[in-house]
Every structure is written in C-alpha cells, then in structure tokens.
Amino acid sequence: MTTDHDLPEACYAFEESTQQVIGILRGEVGYRLLSNVPPHVAGNELEARAWIDNRNNSMGVTPAQREAMVSGSMFGWHLPIANPARHTNAKPYTSPSN
C-alpha cells in the first residue's frame, strides 16, 4: 500500500446507494457505517451532506481529499485515483451558504 499523497487519517463521505453517512480510514479497504450520526441526519440526504461537510471541514479535510479517500478505499490506495490532485474539481456536498 502506498499512500504518499496528502491524505487525512480519516474522513466522512456520503454513500449514494444506501443514502448513509460513512467513515473512511486511510489505507483501509471499504468503509465503516457510523454510530455517531445524529438522529436528524440519518435518513435525510441534505442534512447528511451538510453534516459531512461540517465534520470534514472541522478536521481540515478538503473535498479533493474526501474523493481521493473514497476512491482509495474502493479501488486501491496504490492507484493514482487515490491522489487528491486527481480530484481538483471536487466540491463540497453542500453550498457554502448551508
């Protein structure tokens, strides 16, 4: 496993198919379902996306890093897609006004 890129130890993301907030750990295959998601967030896509952006922002995780972490956890940390530089167009899940 090579994770030479500027990746955080962990981040949050939104799992589209299940509509759930997930946690990703750098270097780990797959993701974790979270038990610390507030009740008003669970089952509400807009609230979930805003909560994820807030948590990632508080940890200093950029949208590019989030997307690189999602890609690395799914396809392999050694691949170029696990590099945040490959995700320069990544945006927050919610607009800055949310």
Side-chain angles (χ1 to χ4, degrees):
M1 169 189 72
T2 303
T3 54
D4 301 330
H5 313 298
D6 181 26
L7 294 174
E9 287 185 35
C11 77
Y12 294 94
F14 189 73
E15 211 293 314
E16 298 286 341
S17 65
T18 62
Q19 301 283 295
Q20 292 181 302
V21 177
I22 58 172
I24 299 171
L25 298 177
R26 183 180 61 218
E28 187 173 287
V29 175
Y31 59 83
R32 295 173 181 218
L33 295 178
L34 304 176
S35 61
N36 65 333
V37 177
H40 75 280
V41 170
N44 183 323
E45 181 178 353
L46 293 177
E47 289 289 334
R49 289 176 180 273
W51 188 84
I52 290 165
D53 282 345
N54 183 283
R55 297 293 299 160
N56 282 342
N57 286 340
S58 71
M59 297 185 312
V61 177
T62 68
Q65 289 172 316
R66 179 197 70 223
E67 291 304 312
M69 294 279 284
V70 169
S71 298
S73 71
M74 291 173 56
F75 303 111
W77 296 97
H78 63 288
L79 296 174
I81 199 167
N83 182 341
R86 299 284 181 141
H87 300 277
T88 56
N89 293 329
K91 305 222 179 322
Y93 286 138
T94 56
S95 68
S97 62
N98 288 351

Coordinates of all heavy atoms in Angstrom, one line a residue:
M1 N 0.8 -1.2 0.0 CA 0.0 0.0 0.0 C 0.9 1.2 0.0 O 1.8 1.4 0.8 CB -0.9 0.0 1.2 CG -1.6 1.3 1.5 SD -2.4 1.4 3.1 CE -1.1 1.5 4.2
T2 N 0.6 2.1 -0.9 CA 1.3 3.4 -0.9 C 0.3 4.5 -0.8 O -0.6 4.7 -1.5 CB 2.0 3.6 -2.3 OG1 2.9 2.5 -2.5 CG2 2.8 4.9 -2.3
T3 N 0.5 5.3 0.3 CA -0.4 6.5 0.5 C 0.5 7.7 0.7 O 0.6 8.3 1.8 CB -1.3 6.3 1.7 OG1 -0.5 5.9 2.8 CG2 -2.3 5.2 1.4
D4 N 1.3 8.0 -0.3 CA 2.3 9.1 -0.2 C 1.6 10.5 -0.4 O 2.2 11.5 -0.2 CB 3.3 9.0 -1.3 CG 4.1 7.7 -1.2 OD1 4.3 7.2 -0.1 OD2 4.6 7.2 -2.2
H5 N 0.3 10.4 -0.8 CA -0.4 11.7 -1.1 C -0.8 12.4 0.2 O -0.8 11.8 1.3 CB -1.6 11.4 -1.9 CG -1.2 10.5 -3.1 ND1 -0.3 10.8 -4.1 CD2 -1.6 9.2 -3.4 CE1 -0.2 9.8 -4.9 NE2 -1.0 8.8 -4.5
D6 N -1.3 13.6 0.1 CA -1.7 14.4 1.2 C -3.1 13.9 1.6 O -4.1 14.6 1.3 CB -1.7 15.8 0.8 CG -2.1 16.8 1.9 OD1 -2.0 16.4 3.1 OD2 -2.6 17.9 1.6
L7 N -3.2 12.8 2.3 CA -4.5 12.2 2.7 C -4.6 12.3 4.2 O -3.6 12.0 5.0 CB -4.6 10.8 2.3 CG -4.7 10.5 0.8 CD1 -4.7 9.1 0.5 CD2 -5.9 11.2 0.2
P8 N -5.8 12.6 4.7 CA -6.0 12.6 6.2 C -6.1 11.2 6.7 O -6.2 10.3 5.9 CB -7.4 13.3 6.3 CG -8.1 13.0 5.0 CD -7.0 13.0 4.0
E9 N -6.0 11.1 8.0 CA -6.2 9.7 8.6 C -7.6 9.2 8.4 O -7.8 8.0 8.3 CB -5.9 9.8 10.1 CG -4.4 10.0 10.4 CD -4.1 9.9 11.9 OE1 -4.8 9.1 12.6 OE2 -3.2 10.6 12.3
A10 N -8.6 10.1 8.4 CA -10.0 9.7 8.3 C -10.8 10.8 7.6 O -10.4 12.0 7.6 CB -10.5 9.3 9.6
C11 N -11.9 10.4 7.1 CA -12.9 11.4 6.6 C -14.3 10.8 6.6 O -14.4 9.6 6.8 CB -12.5 11.9 5.2 SG -12.9 10.7 3.9
Y12 N -15.2 11.7 6.4 CA -16.6 11.2 6.2 C -17.0 11.4 4.8 O -16.5 12.3 4.0 CB -17.5 12.1 7.1 CG -17.3 12.0 8.6 CD1 -16.5 12.8 9.2 CD2 -18.0 10.9 9.3 CE1 -16.3 12.7 10.6 CE2 -17.8 10.8 10.6 CZ -16.9 11.6 11.3 OH -16.7 11.5 12.6
A13 N -18.0 10.6 4.3 CA -18.5 10.7 2.9 C -19.9 10.2 2.9 O -20.4 9.7 3.9 CB -17.6 9.8 2.0
F14 N -20.6 10.4 1.8 CA -22.0 10.0 1.6 C -22.0 8.8 0.7 O -21.5 8.9 -0.4 CB -22.8 11.2 1.1 CG -24.2 10.9 1.0 CD1 -25.0 10.9 2.2 CD2 -24.9 10.6 -0.1 CE1 -26.3 10.6 2.2 CE2 -26.3 10.4 -0.2 CZ -27.0 10.4 1.0
E15 N -22.6 7.8 1.1 CA -22.7 6.5 0.3 C -24.0 6.6 -0.5 O -25.1 6.5 0.1 CB -22.7 5.3 1.2 CG -22.0 4.1 0.5 CD -22.9 3.5 -0.6 OE1 -24.1 3.4 -0.5 OE2 -22.2 3.2 -1.6
E16 N -23.9 6.9 -1.8 CA -25.1 7.1 -2.6 C -26.1 6.0 -2.6 O -27.3 6.2 -2.5 CB -24.7 7.4 -4.0 CG -23.8 8.6 -4.2 CD -24.6 9.9 -4.1 OE1 -25.8 10.0 -4.2 OE2 -23.9 10.9 -3.8
S17 N -25.7 4.8 -2.8 CA -26.6 3.7 -2.9 C -27.4 3.4 -1.7 O -28.6 3.0 -1.8 CB -25.9 2.4 -3.4 OG -25.0 1.9 -2.4
T18 N -26.8 3.6 -0.5 CA -27.6 3.3 0.7 C -28.1 4.6 1.4 O -28.8 4.5 2.4 CB -26.7 2.5 1.7 OG1 -25.5 3.4 2.0 CG2 -26.2 1.2 1.1
Q19 N -27.6 5.7 0.9 CA -28.0 7.0 1.4 C -27.6 7.2 2.9 O -28.3 7.7 3.7 CB -29.5 7.3 1.3 CG -30.0 7.2 -0.1 CD -29.8 8.5 -0.8 OE1 -30.3 9.5 -0.5 NE2 -28.9 8.5 -1.8
Q20 N -26.3 6.7 3.2 CA -25.8 6.7 4.6 C -24.5 7.5 4.7 O -23.8 7.6 3.7 CB -25.6 5.3 5.1 CG -26.8 4.5 5.2 CD -26.5 3.1 5.8 OE1 -25.8 2.4 5.1 NE2 -27.1 2.8 6.9
V21 N -24.3 8.0 5.8 CA -23.0 8.7 6.1 C -22.0 7.5 6.5 O -22.4 6.6 7.2 CB -23.1 9.6 7.4 CG1 -21.8 10.2 7.7 CG2 -24.1 10.7 7.1
I22 N -20.9 7.6 5.9 CA -19.8 6.6 6.1 C -18.5 7.2 6.6 O -18.3 8.4 6.3 CB -19.6 5.7 4.8 CG1 -19.1 6.6 3.7 CG2 -20.8 4.9 4.5 CD1 -18.7 5.9 2.4
G23 N -17.7 6.4 7.2 CA -16.4 6.8 7.6 C -15.3 6.0 6.8 O -15.5 4.8 6.6
I24 N -14.3 6.7 6.4 CA -13.2 6.0 5.7 C -11.9 6.3 6.4 O -11.6 7.4 6.8 CB -13.1 6.6 4.2 CG1 -14.4 6.3 3.5 CG2 -11.9 6.0 3.5 CD1 -14.5 7.0 2.2
L25 N -11.1 5.2 6.6 CA -9.8 5.3 7.2 C -8.8 5.2 6.2 O -8.9 4.2 5.4 CB -9.7 4.3 8.3 CG -10.6 4.4 9.5 CD1 -10.4 3.2 10.5 CD2 -10.5 5.7 10.2
R26 N -7.8 6.0 6.2 CA -6.7 6.0 5.2 C -6.0 4.6 5.2 O -5.7 4.1 6.3 CB -5.6 7.0 5.5 CG -4.5 7.1 4.5 CD -3.5 8.1 4.8 NE -2.9 7.8 6.1 CZ -2.6 8.8 7.0 NH1 -2.8 10.0 6.8 NH2 -2.0 8.4 8.1
G27 N -5.9 4.0 4.0 CA -5.3 2.7 3.9 C -6.2 1.5 4.1 O -5.8 0.4 3.8
E28 N -7.4 1.7 4.6 CA -8.3 0.6 4.8 C -9.2 0.4 3.6 O -9.8 1.3 3.1 CB -9.1 0.9 6.1 CG -10.0 -0.2 6.5 CD -10.6 0.1 7.9 OE1 -9.9 0.1 8.9 OE2 -11.9 0.3 7.9
V29 N -9.4 -0.9 3.3 CA -10.3 -1.2 2.2 C -11.8 -1.1 2.7 O -12.1 -1.6 3.8 CB -10.1 -2.6 1.7 CG1 -11.1 -3.0 0.6 CG2 -8.7 -2.7 1.1
G30 N -12.6 -0.5 1.9 CA -14.0 -0.3 2.3 C -14.3 0.9 3.2 O -13.4 1.7 3.4
Y31 N -15.4 0.9 3.8 CA -15.8 2.0 4.7 C -16.5 1.4 5.9 O -16.8 0.2 6.0 CB -16.8 2.9 4.0 CG -18.0 2.3 3.4 CD1 -19.1 2.2 4.3 CD2 -18.1 1.9 2.1 CE1 -20.3 1.6 3.8 CE2 -19.3 1.4 1.6 CZ -20.4 1.2 2.5 OH -21.6 0.7 2.0
R32 N -16.8 2.3 6.9 CA -17.5 1.9 8.1 C -18.8 2.7 8.2 O -18.8 3.9 7.9 CB -16.6 2.3 9.3 CG -15.3 1.5 9.3 CD -14.4 2.0 10.4 NE -13.2 1.2 10.4 CZ -12.5 0.8 11.4 NH1 -12.9 1.2 12.6 NH2 -11.4 0.1 11.3
L33 N -19.8 2.0 8.6 CA -21.0 2.6 9.0 C -20.8 3.3 10.4 O -20.2 2.7 11.2 CB -22.2 1.6 9.0 CG -22.5 1.0 7.7 CD1 -23.7 0.0 7.8 CD2 -22.9 2.1 6.7
L34 N -21.4 4.4 10.6 CA -21.2 5.2 11.8 C -22.3 5.1 12.8 O -23.5 5.0 12.4 CB -21.0 6.6 11.4 CG -19.9 6.9 10.4 CD1 -19.8 8.4 10.0 CD2 -18.5 6.4 10.9
S35 N -21.9 5.1 14.0 CA -22.9 5.1 15.1 C -23.1 6.4 15.7 O -24.0 6.6 16.5 CB -22.5 4.0 16.2 OG -21.3 4.4 16.7
N36 N -22.3 7.4 15.3 CA -22.3 8.7 15.9 C -23.1 9.8 15.1 O -22.9 10.9 15.3 CB -20.9 9.2 16.3 CG -20.1 9.5 15.0 OD1 -20.3 8.9 14.0 ND2 -19.1 10.3 15.1
V37 N -23.9 9.3 14.1 CA -24.6 10.3 13.3 C -25.9 10.7 14.1 O -26.6 9.9 14.5 CB -25.0 9.6 12.0 CG1 -25.9 10.5 11.1 CG2 -23.8 9.1 11.2
P38 N -26.1 12.0 14.2 CA -27.3 12.5 14.9 C -28.6 12.0 14.3 O -28.6 11.8 13.1 CB -27.1 14.0 14.8 CG -25.7 14.3 14.5 CD -25.2 13.1 13.7
P39 N -29.6 11.8 15.1 CA -30.9 11.3 14.6 C -31.5 12.1 13.4 O -32.0 11.6 12.5 CB -31.8 11.3 15.8 CG -30.9 11.2 16.9 CD -29.6 11.9 16.5
H40 N -31.3 13.5 13.5 CA -31.9 14.3 12.5 C -31.1 14.2 11.1 O -31.7 14.6 10.1 CB -31.9 15.8 12.9 CG -30.6 16.5 12.9 ND1 -29.7 16.3 13.9 CD2 -30.0 17.3 12.0 CE1 -28.6 17.0 13.6 NE2 -28.8 17.6 12.5
V41 N -30.0 13.6 11.2 CA -29.1 13.4 9.9 C -29.5 12.1 9.3 O -29.5 12.0 8.0 CB -27.6 13.5 10.3 CG1 -26.8 13.1 9.1 CG2 -27.3 14.9 10.8
A42 N -29.7 11.1 10.1 CA -29.9 9.8 9.5 C -31.2 9.8 8.7 O -32.3 10.3 9.1 CB -30.1 8.7 10.6
G43 N -31.1 9.3 7.4 CA -32.3 9.3 6.6 C -32.7 10.6 5.9 O -33.7 10.7 5.2
N44 N -31.9 11.6 6.1 CA -32.1 12.9 5.4 C -30.9 13.3 4.6 O -29.9 13.8 5.2 CB -32.4 14.0 6.5 CG -32.8 15.3 5.9 OD1 -32.3 15.7 4.9 ND2 -33.7 16.0 6.6
E45 N -31.0 13.1 3.3 CA -29.8 13.3 2.5 C -29.2 14.7 2.6 O -28.0 14.9 2.7 CB -30.1 13.1 1.0 CG -29.0 13.2 0.1 CD -29.2 12.9 -1.4 OE1 -30.4 12.4 -1.7 OE2 -28.3 13.2 -2.2
L46 N -30.0 15.8 2.6 CA -29.5 17.1 2.7 C -28.8 17.4 4.0 O -27.7 18.0 4.1 CB -30.6 18.2 2.4 CG -31.2 18.2 1.0 CD1 -32.3 19.2 0.9 CD2 -30.1 18.5 0.0
E47 N -29.4 16.9 5.1 CA -28.8 17.1 6.4 C -27.5 16.3 6.5 O -26.6 16.7 7.1 CB -29.8 16.7 7.5 CG -31.0 17.6 7.7 CD -30.6 18.9 8.3 OE1 -29.5 19.0 9.1 OE2 -31.3 19.9 8.1
A48 N -27.6 15.1 5.9 CA -26.4 14.2 6.0 C -25.2 14.9 5.3 O -24.1 14.9 5.8 CB -26.7 12.9 5.4
R49 N -25.5 15.4 4.1 CA -24.4 16.0 3.3 C -23.8 17.2 4.0 O -22.6 17.5 4.0 CB -24.9 16.4 1.9 CG -25.1 15.1 1.0 CD -25.7 15.5 -0.3 NE -25.9 14.3 -1.2 CZ -25.0 13.8 -2.0 NH1 -23.8 14.3 -2.0 NH2 -25.3 12.7 -2.7
A50 N -24.7 18.0 4.6 CA -24.3 19.2 5.4 C -23.4 18.8 6.6 O -22.4 19.4 6.9 CB -25.5 20.1 5.8
W51 N -23.9 17.8 7.3 CA -23.2 17.3 8.5 C -21.8 16.8 8.1 O -20.8 17.0 8.7 CB -24.0 16.2 9.1 CG -23.5 15.7 10.4 CD1 -23.7 16.2 11.7 CD2 -22.6 14.5 10.6 NE1 -23.1 15.5 12.6 CE2 -22.4 14.4 12.0 CE3 -22.1 13.6 9.8 CZ2 -21.6 13.4 12.6 CZ3 -21.3 12.6 10.4 CH2 -21.1 12.5 11.7
I52 N -21.7 16.0 6.9 CA -20.4 15.5 6.5 C -19.5 16.7 6.1 O -18.3 16.7 6.6 CB -20.7 14.6 5.2 CG1 -21.3 13.3 5.6 CG2 -19.3 14.4 4.5 CD1 -21.9 12.5 4.4
D53 N -20.0 17.7 5.4 CA -19.1 18.8 5.1 C -18.6 19.5 6.3 O -17.5 19.8 6.5 CB -19.9 19.8 4.2 CG -20.0 19.4 2.8 OD1 -19.2 18.5 2.3 OD2 -20.8 20.0 2.1
N54 N -19.5 19.7 7.3 CA -19.1 20.3 8.6 C -18.1 19.5 9.3 O -17.1 20.1 9.8 CB -20.4 20.5 9.5 CG -20.0 21.2 10.7 OD1 -19.5 20.6 11.7 ND2 -20.4 22.5 10.8
R55 N -18.3 18.2 9.4 CA -17.3 17.4 10.1 C -15.9 17.4 9.4 O -14.9 17.5 10.0 CB -17.8 15.9 10.2 CG -19.1 15.8 11.1 CD -18.9 16.1 12.5 NE -17.9 15.2 13.0 CZ -17.2 15.3 14.1 NH1 -17.4 16.4 14.9 NH2 -16.3 14.4 14.5
N56 N -16.0 17.2 8.0 CA -14.7 17.2 7.3 C -14.0 18.5 7.4 O -12.8 18.6 7.6 CB -15.0 16.8 5.8 CG -15.2 15.3 5.6 OD1 -14.8 14.5 6.5 ND2 -15.8 15.0 4.5
N57 N -14.8 19.6 7.3 CA -14.2 21.0 7.4 C -13.5 21.1 8.8 O -12.4 21.6 8.9 CB -15.2 22.0 7.3 CG -15.6 22.2 5.8 OD1 -14.9 21.8 4.9 ND2 -16.8 22.8 5.6
S58 N -14.1 20.6 9.8 CA -13.6 20.7 11.2 C -12.3 19.9 11.3 O -11.4 20.2 12.2 CB -14.6 20.4 12.2 OG -14.8 19.0 12.2
M59 N -12.1 18.9 10.5 CA -10.9 18.1 10.6 C -9.9 18.5 9.5 O -8.8 17.9 9.4 CB -11.3 16.6 10.3 CG -12.2 16.0 11.3 SD -12.5 14.2 11.2 CE -12.9 14.0 9.5
G60 N -10.2 19.5 8.7 CA -9.3 20.0 7.7 C -9.3 19.2 6.4 O -8.3 19.3 5.7
V61 N -10.3 18.4 6.2 CA -10.4 17.5 5.0 C -11.1 18.3 3.9 O -12.2 18.8 4.0 CB -11.2 16.3 5.3 CG1 -11.4 15.4 4.1 CG2 -10.6 15.5 6.5
T62 N -10.4 18.4 2.8 CA -10.9 19.1 1.6 C -11.8 18.1 0.8 O -11.7 16.9 0.9 CB -9.8 19.6 0.7 OG1 -9.1 18.4 0.1 CG2 -8.8 20.5 1.5
P63 N -12.6 18.7 -0.1 CA -13.4 17.8 -1.0 C -12.5 16.9 -1.8 O -12.9 15.7 -2.1 CB -14.2 18.8 -1.8 CG -14.4 20.0 -0.9 CD -13.1 20.1 -0.2
A64 N -11.4 17.4 -2.3 CA -10.5 16.6 -3.1 C -9.9 15.4 -2.3 O -9.8 14.3 -2.8 CB -9.4 17.5 -3.7
Q65 N -9.6 15.7 -1.0 CA -9.1 14.6 -0.2 C -10.2 13.6 0.1 O -10.0 12.4 0.1 CB -8.6 15.2 1.1 CG -7.3 15.9 1.0 CD -6.9 16.6 2.3 OE1 -7.8 17.2 3.0 NE2 -5.6 16.5 2.6
R66 N -11.4 14.1 0.3 CA -12.6 13.2 0.5 C -12.8 12.2 -0.7 O -12.9 11.0 -0.5 CB -13.9 14.0 0.7 CG -15.1 13.2 1.0 CD -16.4 14.0 0.8 NE -16.5 14.3 -0.6 CZ -16.9 15.5 -1.1 NH1 -17.2 16.5 -0.3 NH2 -17.1 15.7 -2.4
E67 N -12.7 12.8 -1.9 CA -12.9 12.0 -3.1 C -11.8 11.0 -3.3 O -12.0 9.9 -3.7 CB -13.1 12.9 -4.3 CG -14.4 13.6 -4.3 CD -15.7 12.7 -4.1 OE1 -15.7 11.7 -4.9 OE2 -16.5 13.0 -3.3
A68 N -10.6 11.4 -3.0 CA -9.4 10.5 -3.1 C -9.5 9.4 -2.1 O -9.2 8.2 -2.4 CB -8.1 11.3 -2.9
M69 N -10.0 9.7 -0.9 CA -10.2 8.7 0.2 C -11.3 7.7 -0.3 O -11.1 6.5 -0.1 CB -10.6 9.3 1.5 CG -9.5 10.2 2.1 SD -8.3 9.3 3.0 CE -9.2 8.8 4.5
V70 N -12.4 8.2 -0.8 CA -13.4 7.3 -1.3 C -12.8 6.4 -2.4 O -13.0 5.1 -2.4 CB -14.6 8.1 -1.9 CG1 -15.6 7.2 -2.6 CG2 -15.3 8.8 -0.8
S71 N -12.1 7.0 -3.4 CA -11.5 6.2 -4.4 C -10.5 5.2 -3.9 O -10.5 4.0 -4.4 CB -10.9 7.1 -5.5 OG -11.8 8.0 -6.0
G72 N -9.7 5.6 -3.0 CA -8.6 4.7 -2.5 C -9.3 3.5 -1.8 O -8.8 2.3 -1.9
S73 N -10.3 3.8 -1.0 CA -11.0 2.7 -0.2 C -11.7 1.7 -1.1 O -11.8 0.6 -0.8 CB -12.0 3.3 0.8 OG -13.1 3.8 0.2
M74 N -12.1 2.2 -2.3 CA -12.8 1.3 -3.2 C -11.9 0.6 -4.2 O -12.2 -0.6 -4.5 CB -13.9 2.1 -4.0 CG -15.0 2.7 -3.2 SD -16.1 3.8 -4.1 CE -16.6 2.8 -5.5
F75 N -10.9 1.3 -4.7 CA -10.2 0.7 -5.9 C -8.7 0.4 -5.6 O -8.1 -0.3 -6.3 CB -10.3 1.7 -7.1 CG -11.7 2.0 -7.5 CD1 -12.2 3.2 -7.3 CD2 -12.5 1.0 -8.0 CE1 -13.5 3.5 -7.7 CE2 -13.8 1.2 -8.4 CZ -14.3 2.5 -8.2
G76 N -8.2 0.9 -4.5 CA -6.8 0.7 -4.1 C -6.1 1.9 -3.8 O -6.1 2.9 -4.6
W77 N -5.4 1.9 -2.7 CA -4.6 3.1 -2.2 C -3.4 3.4 -3.1 O -2.8 4.5 -3.1 CB -4.3 2.9 -0.8 CG -5.5 2.9 0.1 CD1 -6.1 1.8 0.5 CD2 -6.3 4.0 0.5 NE1 -7.3 2.1 1.2 CE2 -7.4 3.5 1.2 CE3 -6.2 5.4 0.4 CZ2 -8.4 4.3 1.8 CZ3 -7.2 6.2 0.9 CH2 -8.2 5.6 1.6
H78 N -2.9 2.4 -3.8 CA -1.7 2.5 -4.6 C -2.0 3.1 -6.0 O -1.1 3.5 -6.7 CB -1.1 1.1 -4.8 CG -2.0 0.2 -5.6 ND1 -3.2 -0.4 -5.0 CD2 -1.9 -0.3 -6.9 CE1 -3.8 -1.1 -6.0 NE2 -3.0 -1.1 -7.1
L79 N -3.3 3.3 -6.3 CA -3.6 3.8 -7.7 C -3.6 5.4 -7.7 O -3.9 6.0 -6.7 CB -5.0 3.3 -8.1 CG -5.1 1.8 -8.2 CD1 -6.6 1.4 -8.5 CD2 -4.2 1.4 -9.4
P80 N -3.4 5.9 -8.8 CA -3.3 7.4 -8.9 C -4.7 8.1 -8.5 O -4.7 9.2 -8.1 CB -3.1 7.6 -10.4 CG -2.4 6.4 -10.9 CD -3.0 5.3 -10.1
I81 N -5.8 7.4 -8.6 CA -7.1 7.9 -8.3 C -7.2 8.2 -6.8 O -8.0 9.0 -6.3 CB -8.2 7.0 -8.8 CG1 -9.5 7.8 -8.8 CG2 -8.3 5.8 -7.9 CD1 -10.6 7.1 -9.5
A82 N -6.3 7.6 -6.0 CA -6.2 7.9 -4.5 C -5.4 9.2 -4.2 O -5.2 9.4 -3.0 CB -5.7 6.7 -3.8
N83 N -5.1 9.9 -5.2 CA -4.3 11.2 -5.0 C -5.3 12.3 -5.1 O -6.0 12.5 -6.1 CB -3.2 11.2 -6.1 CG -2.4 12.5 -6.0 OD1 -2.7 13.4 -5.3 ND2 -1.2 12.4 -6.6
P84 N -5.3 13.2 -4.1 CA -6.2 14.4 -4.2 C -6.0 15.2 -5.4 O -6.9 15.9 -5.9 CB -5.9 15.1 -2.9 CG -5.3 14.1 -2.0 CD -4.6 13.1 -2.8
A85 N -4.8 15.3 -5.9 CA -4.5 16.1 -7.1 C -5.3 15.6 -8.3 O -5.5 16.4 -9.2 CB -3.0 16.0 -7.4
R86 N -5.8 14.4 -8.3 CA -6.7 13.9 -9.4 C -8.1 14.4 -9.2 O -8.9 14.1 -10.1 CB -6.6 12.4 -9.4 CG -5.3 11.8 -9.6 CD -4.9 11.9 -11.1 NE -3.6 11.3 -11.3 CZ -3.3 10.6 -12.4 NH1 -4.2 10.4 -13.3 NH2 -2.1 10.2 -12.5
H87 N -8.4 15.0 -8.2 CA -9.8 15.4 -7.9 C -9.9 16.9 -7.7 O -10.6 17.4 -6.8 CB -10.3 14.7 -6.6 CG -10.3 13.2 -6.7 ND1 -11.3 12.5 -7.3 CD2 -9.3 12.3 -6.4 CE1 -11.0 11.2 -7.3 NE2 -9.8 11.1 -6.7
T88 N -9.3 17.7 -8.6 CA -9.2 19.1 -8.5 C -10.6 19.8 -8.6 O -10.8 20.9 -8.2 CB -8.3 19.8 -9.5 OG1 -8.6 19.3 -10.8 CG2 -6.8 19.3 -9.2
N89 N -11.6 19.1 -9.3 CA -12.9 19.7 -9.5 C -13.9 19.3 -8.4 O -15.1 19.6 -8.4 CB -13.5 19.2 -10.8 CG -12.7 19.9 -12.0 OD1 -12.2 21.0 -11.9 ND2 -12.6 19.1 -13.1
A90 N -13.4 18.5 -7.3 CA -14.3 18.1 -6.3 C -14.8 19.3 -5.5 O -14.1 20.3 -5.3 CB -13.5 17.2 -5.3
K91 N -16.1 19.2 -5.2 CA -16.7 20.3 -4.4 C -17.3 19.8 -3.1 O -17.6 18.6 -3.0 CB -17.8 20.9 -5.3 CG -17.4 21.3 -6.7 CD -18.0 22.6 -7.1 CE -17.6 23.1 -8.4 NZ -16.2 23.0 -8.8
P92 N -17.6 20.7 -2.2 CA -18.3 20.3 -1.0 C -19.7 19.7 -1.4 O -20.2 20.0 -2.5 CB -18.5 21.6 -0.2 CG -17.5 22.5 -0.8 CD -17.3 22.1 -2.2
Y93 N -20.3 18.9 -0.6 CA -21.6 18.3 -0.9 C -22.7 19.4 -0.9 O -23.7 19.3 -1.5 CB -21.9 17.3 0.2 CG -21.2 16.0 0.0 CD1 -20.7 15.3 1.2 CD2 -21.0 15.3 -1.2 CE1 -20.1 14.1 1.1 CE2 -20.4 14.1 -1.3 CZ -19.9 13.5 -0.2 OH -19.3 12.3 -0.3
T94 N -22.4 20.4 -0.1 CA -23.5 21.5 0.1 C -22.8 22.8 -0.3 O -21.6 23.0 -0.3 CB -24.0 21.5 1.5 OG1 -22.9 21.7 2.4 CG2 -24.7 20.3 1.9
S95 N -23.7 23.8 -0.6 CA -23.1 25.1 -0.9 C -22.6 25.8 0.3 O -23.1 25.5 1.4 CB -24.2 25.9 -1.6 OG -25.2 26.2 -0.7
P96 N -21.7 26.7 0.2 CA -21.2 27.4 1.4 C -22.3 28.1 2.2 O -22.1 28.4 3.4 CB -20.2 28.5 0.8 CG -19.9 27.9 -0.6 CD -21.1 27.2 -1.0
S97 N -23.4 28.4 1.6 CA -24.4 29.1 2.4 C -25.2 28.2 3.3 O -26.0 28.6 4.2 CB -25.4 29.8 1.4 OG -26.1 28.8 0.6
N98 N -25.0 26.9 3.2 CA -25.7 25.9 4.0 C -25.0 25.8 5.4 O -23.9 25.8 5.5 CB -25.8 24.5 3.4 CG -26.8 24.5 2.2 OD1 -27.6 25.5 2.0 ND2 -26.9 23.5 1.5

